[in-house]
Amino acid sequence: MKQRQSDPVIDEIRDVRHRISARFAHDPARLVAHYMERQKQDQDRLIETEKTAQRIDQSAA
């Protein structure tokens, strides 16, 4: 198996994601709920894609 090269940025991202997951006891349901809440809180910082816009339009109908 090919050993992956270390990338400091990727390593930091993985570490942060692991620490966030640990805050929720690595429970996928709680983690998804957390990220969905963060998405609502930071909606003004997110970029809307065409696919997302279509999904929003369909749910509003």
Side-chain angles (χ1 to χ4, degrees), residues 36-60:
M36 291 179 77
E37 183 59 34
R38 286 301 310 253
Q39 185 173 325
K40 286 179 190 175
Q41 292 173 0
D42 297 329
Q43 192 160 3
D44 59 324
R45 298 176 60 198
L46 302 176
I47 298 171
E48 187 174 291
T49 65
E50 184 177 327
K51 190 173 184 179
T52 305
Q54 290 173 354
R55 203 174 325 138
I56 290 170
D57 290 342
Q58 289 174 352
S59 67

Side-chain angles (χ1 to χ4, degrees), residues 4-19:
R4 68 181 172 112
Q5 292 180 332
S6 181
D7 181 327
V9 174
I10 299 298
D11 292 342
E12 182 177 356
I13 290 169
R14 287 182 175 136
D15 181 56
V16 169
R17 289 176 61 184
H18 181 79
R19 286 187 280 141

